[in-house]
Amino acid sequence: MKLKRSQEPIFWLLFGGGGTLAALVGVVLIVITGILVPAGSLPPDTMSFAAMHAFAASLFGKAAIFLVITLLLWHGVHRMAATAHHIGLASAHTAQIVLRGFAALATAACAYLLVGL
Amino acid sequence: MTDTRTIRIEALRFNPETDSEPRLQRYEVPFTPDMSVLQGLQYIKDHLDGSLTFRWSCRMAVCGSCGMMINGRPHLSCETFLRDLYPGPVRVEPLDHFPVQRDLAIDQAGFLDKLAAIKPYIVSAKERPLSEGPSRQTPAQLDAYYQYSQCINCLLCYAACPQFGLNPDFIGPAALSLLHRYNLDSRDIGWSVRADAANADVGVWECTVVGYCSEVCPKGVDPMHAVNENKVNSALDYLGVKRLLGGR
Ligand code: FES
């Protein structure tokens, strides 16, 4: 048998990291940003531009935003690529390349925007 | 006998040398409550149609040769009872995803190559002279690999695995479970011996955690768990920290 080393561990580690983070903070973020703030259950300036800008400009804020956006994205594209493969799409491999390319570009864009803040 | 009933068995017939495509053949089979699907097939072979081809040996879920699709699910035919499938019909077909040799008998050659690739035997650090007596293991050391050692190579898990269906080169659930079984054995050197098979693109990384393999295993082996433990091992190996973090 010919055995060629897989490069999959990189993407699997990103997928796993994203899954862990999604489980830890994903739901909390949805509840805060999607329900509590719009419903007015939290102080009105919780997500004001000034507060958000200050958070995103701090080192901790930059790191948190970068990790949450990019790792969850890598997690998501991994799942979508697996789904394409599971339903037997003939173009599943192409879909995987496109999805990972998108995640890579978005990761770069996220880093660029956060560094410039 | 009063408790003899009749059930219809529909068997897939295919001879790759003469047939252009497979067909289903129907047999009316008298059965008693103690009869398995395998015994139903043996009745057909003895009394109705001697040309029906299928494999069996132990008749007690030990040898692993009688696996087939029964009503679309992979089962050992010797431990599936006709009484439970009454009133039928019972459809029997060769295990999914394998080339057919004849009727219900599949070609296992590909699996045997994979089995060889994972080195399914104990590789010890140094030759042990007979004078040292048997190697001893604690109950905990035995527990570490025991469930994986129960595999009987019946290949039901390959018939269940959609990834093997898409890529016949995938080393697959049973062989990867056995890879884990020997890696976990305290008498074996462990990971390094079988790392190339686990790390390969046809190794653990082909699995997408569907888990049907673990559901159909007749011996309580959990191949999905074995494969995913080894995704962790393979990822640590990829990063070069397997020795540091992953133990043996
Ligand atoms: S005949 Fe041996 S496992 Fe069924």
mmCIF file of all heavy atoms in Angstrom, chain B residues 38 55-67 76-79 152 154, ligand 1:
data_model
loop_
_atom_site.group_PDB
_atom_site.id
_atom_site.type_symbol
_atom_site.label_atom_id
_atom_site.label_comp_id
_atom_site.label_asym_id
_atom_site.label_seq_id
_atom_site.Cartn_x
_atom_site.Cartn_y
_atom_site.Cartn_z
ATOM 1 N N LEU B 38 -28.600 -17.589 8.274
ATOM 2 C CA LEU B 38 -27.602 -18.505 7.696
ATOM 3 C C LEU B 38 -28.197 -19.902 7.512
ATOM 4 O O LEU B 38 -28.021 -20.532 6.469
ATOM 5 C CB LEU B 38 -26.362 -18.565 8.601
ATOM 6 C CG LEU B 38 -25.279 -19.553 8.162
ATOM 7 C CD1 LEU B 38 -24.699 -19.168 6.805
ATOM 8 C CD2 LEU B 38 -24.171 -19.632 9.205
ATOM 9 N N ARG B 55 -20.627 -17.500 2.401
ATOM 10 C CA ARG B 55 -19.553 -17.995 3.274
ATOM 11 C C ARG B 55 -20.054 -18.172 4.698
ATOM 12 O O ARG B 55 -20.876 -17.405 5.185
ATOM 13 C CB ARG B 55 -18.407 -16.992 3.327
ATOM 14 C CG ARG B 55 -17.553 -16.967 2.096
ATOM 15 C CD ARG B 55 -16.183 -16.379 2.434
ATOM 16 N NE ARG B 55 -15.426 -16.193 1.214
ATOM 17 C CZ ARG B 55 -15.419 -15.061 0.532
ATOM 18 N NH1 ARG B 55 -16.093 -14.018 0.958
ATOM 19 N NH2 ARG B 55 -14.727 -14.978 -0.580
ATOM 20 N N TRP B 56 -19.498 -19.148 5.387
ATOM 21 C CA TRP B 56 -19.782 -19.346 6.797
ATOM 22 C C TRP B 56 -18.770 -20.333 7.327
ATOM 23 O O TRP B 56 -18.131 -21.055 6.582
ATOM 24 C CB TRP B 56 -21.200 -19.884 7.010
ATOM 25 C CG TRP B 56 -21.449 -21.182 6.307
ATOM 26 C CD1 TRP B 56 -21.766 -21.344 4.992
ATOM 27 C CD2 TRP B 56 -21.371 -22.488 6.878
ATOM 28 N NE1 TRP B 56 -21.902 -22.670 4.701
ATOM 29 C CE2 TRP B 56 -21.665 -23.402 5.842
ATOM 30 C CE3 TRP B 56 -21.102 -22.970 8.151
ATOM 31 C CZ2 TRP B 56 -21.681 -24.773 6.036
ATOM 32 C CZ3 TRP B 56 -21.125 -24.348 8.354
ATOM 33 C CH2 TRP B 56 -21.407 -25.233 7.307
ATOM 34 N N SER B 57 -18.618 -20.352 8.630
ATOM 35 C CA SER B 57 -17.789 -21.381 9.230
ATOM 36 C C SER B 57 -18.292 -21.719 10.625
ATOM 37 O O SER B 57 -18.820 -22.794 10.869
ATOM 38 C CB SER B 57 -16.323 -20.929 9.273
ATOM 39 O OG SER B 57 -15.554 -21.875 9.947
ATOM 40 N N CYS B 58 -18.176 -20.782 11.577
ATOM 41 C CA CYS B 58 -18.385 -21.138 12.985
ATOM 42 C C CYS B 58 -19.855 -21.256 13.393
ATOM 43 O O CYS B 58 -20.192 -21.973 14.305
ATOM 44 C CB CYS B 58 -17.689 -20.120 13.877
ATOM 45 S SG CYS B 58 -18.506 -18.510 13.881
ATOM 46 N N ARG B 59 -20.734 -20.519 12.757
ATOM 47 C CA ARG B 59 -22.169 -20.431 13.098
ATOM 48 C C ARG B 59 -22.400 -19.866 14.498
ATOM 49 O O ARG B 59 -23.454 -20.089 15.095
ATOM 50 C CB ARG B 59 -22.846 -21.808 12.970
ATOM 51 C CG ARG B 59 -22.843 -22.343 11.561
ATOM 52 C CD ARG B 59 -23.175 -23.798 11.546
ATOM 53 N NE ARG B 59 -22.147 -24.569 12.203
ATOM 54 C CZ ARG B 59 -22.324 -25.787 12.693
ATOM 55 N NH1 ARG B 59 -23.496 -26.366 12.632
ATOM 56 N NH2 ARG B 59 -21.331 -26.421 13.277
ATOM 57 N N MET B 60 -21.410 -19.187 15.062
ATOM 58 C CA MET B 60 -21.607 -18.644 16.417
ATOM 59 C C MET B 60 -20.920 -17.293 16.613
ATOM 60 O O MET B 60 -20.394 -16.999 17.670
ATOM 61 C CB MET B 60 -21.135 -19.654 17.460
ATOM 62 C CG MET B 60 -19.770 -20.216 17.178
ATOM 63 S SD MET B 60 -19.426 -21.661 18.184
ATOM 64 C CE MET B 60 -18.948 -20.873 19.692
ATOM 65 N N ALA B 61 -20.936 -16.463 15.574
ATOM 66 C CA ALA B 61 -20.461 -15.084 15.673
ATOM 67 C C ALA B 61 -19.012 -14.978 16.142
ATOM 68 O O ALA B 61 -18.663 -14.090 16.903
ATOM 69 C CB ALA B 61 -21.382 -14.269 16.580
ATOM 70 N N VAL B 62 -18.186 -15.905 15.714
ATOM 71 C CA VAL B 62 -16.783 -15.883 16.111
ATOM 72 C C VAL B 62 -15.844 -15.737 14.904
ATOM 73 O O VAL B 62 -14.852 -15.023 14.955
ATOM 74 C CB VAL B 62 -16.419 -17.160 16.899
ATOM 75 C CG1 VAL B 62 -14.921 -17.245 17.138
ATOM 76 C CG2 VAL B 62 -17.165 -17.179 18.231
ATOM 77 N N CYS B 63 -16.184 -16.419 13.788
ATOM 78 C CA CYS B 63 -15.218 -16.455 12.677
ATOM 79 C C CYS B 63 -15.300 -15.219 11.797
ATOM 80 O O CYS B 63 -14.337 -14.854 11.137
ATOM 81 C CB CYS B 63 -15.418 -17.716 11.843
ATOM 82 S SG CYS B 63 -16.910 -17.691 10.824
ATOM 83 N N GLY B 64 -16.464 -14.583 11.744
ATOM 84 C CA GLY B 64 -16.598 -13.360 10.956
ATOM 85 C C GLY B 64 -16.765 -13.578 9.461
ATOM 86 O O GLY B 64 -16.601 -12.643 8.683
ATOM 87 N N SER B 65 -17.116 -14.789 9.029
ATOM 88 C CA SER B 65 -17.197 -14.997 7.573
ATOM 89 C C SER B 65 -18.598 -14.869 6.990
ATOM 90 O O SER B 65 -18.749 -14.848 5.784
ATOM 91 C CB SER B 65 -16.596 -16.352 7.192
ATOM 92 O OG SER B 65 -16.936 -17.337 8.127
ATOM 93 N N CYS B 66 -19.640 -14.765 7.826
ATOM 94 C CA CYS B 66 -21.007 -14.842 7.299
ATOM 95 C C CYS B 66 -21.694 -13.481 7.180
ATOM 96 O O CYS B 66 -22.904 -13.419 7.071
ATOM 97 C CB CYS B 66 -21.846 -15.756 8.184
ATOM 98 S SG CYS B 66 -22.206 -15.012 9.790
ATOM 99 N N GLY B 67 -20.916 -12.391 7.185
ATOM 100 C CA GLY B 67 -21.509 -11.058 7.105
ATOM 101 C C GLY B 67 -22.185 -10.822 5.769
ATOM 102 O O GLY B 67 -21.662 -11.226 4.729
ATOM 103 N N LEU B 76 -24.286 -10.180 10.817
ATOM 104 C CA LEU B 76 -23.811 -11.553 10.732
ATOM 105 C C LEU B 76 -25.049 -12.415 10.529
ATOM 106 O O LEU B 76 -25.971 -12.376 11.348
ATOM 107 C CB LEU B 76 -23.099 -11.968 12.026
ATOM 108 C CG LEU B 76 -21.789 -11.256 12.351
ATOM 109 C CD1 LEU B 76 -21.231 -11.785 13.672
ATOM 110 C CD2 LEU B 76 -20.776 -11.433 11.232
ATOM 111 N N SER B 77 -25.065 -13.231 9.474
ATOM 112 C CA SER B 77 -26.284 -14.001 9.198
ATOM 113 C C SER B 77 -26.475 -15.129 10.208
ATOM 114 O O SER B 77 -27.578 -15.623 10.380
ATOM 115 C CB SER B 77 -26.254 -14.557 7.774
ATOM 116 O OG SER B 77 -25.101 -15.339 7.561
ATOM 117 N N CYS B 78 -25.389 -15.523 10.912
ATOM 118 C CA CYS B 78 -25.530 -16.623 11.874
ATOM 119 C C CYS B 78 -26.153 -16.169 13.186
ATOM 120 O O CYS B 78 -26.584 -16.994 13.978
ATOM 121 C CB CYS B 78 -24.187 -17.299 12.129
ATOM 122 S SG CYS B 78 -23.007 -16.274 13.029
ATOM 123 N N GLU B 79 -26.180 -14.853 13.431
ATOM 124 C CA GLU B 79 -26.801 -14.418 14.687
ATOM 125 C C GLU B 79 -28.005 -13.516 14.434
ATOM 126 O O GLU B 79 -28.430 -12.772 15.307
ATOM 127 C CB GLU B 79 -25.780 -13.754 15.634
ATOM 128 C CG GLU B 79 -25.158 -12.497 15.101
ATOM 129 C CD GLU B 79 -24.558 -11.620 16.192
ATOM 130 O OE1 GLU B 79 -24.400 -12.067 17.335
ATOM 131 O OE2 GLU B 79 -24.261 -10.453 15.858
ATOM 132 N N ILE B 152 -13.470 -9.414 14.777
ATOM 133 C CA ILE B 152 -13.388 -10.715 14.099
ATOM 134 C C ILE B 152 -13.242 -10.538 12.588
ATOM 135 O O ILE B 152 -13.465 -11.477 11.819
ATOM 136 C CB ILE B 152 -14.624 -11.590 14.425
ATOM 137 C CG1 ILE B 152 -15.928 -10.852 14.062
ATOM 138 C CG2 ILE B 152 -14.618 -12.006 15.898
ATOM 139 C CD1 ILE B 152 -17.186 -11.713 14.206
ATOM 140 N N CYS B 154 -15.082 -9.221 10.344
ATOM 141 C CA CYS B 154 -16.266 -9.617 9.585
ATOM 142 C C CYS B 154 -16.610 -8.605 8.502
ATOM 143 O O CYS B 154 -17.407 -8.888 7.617
ATOM 144 C CB CYS B 154 -17.463 -9.790 10.522
ATOM 145 S SG CYS B 154 -17.995 -8.266 11.332
HETATM 146 S S1 FES C 1 -20.539 -18.134 10.728
HETATM 147 FE FE1 FES C 1 -18.848 -17.430 11.885
HETATM 148 S S2 FES C 1 -19.453 -15.428 12.403
HETATM 149 FE FE2 FES C 1 -21.203 -16.206 11.449
#
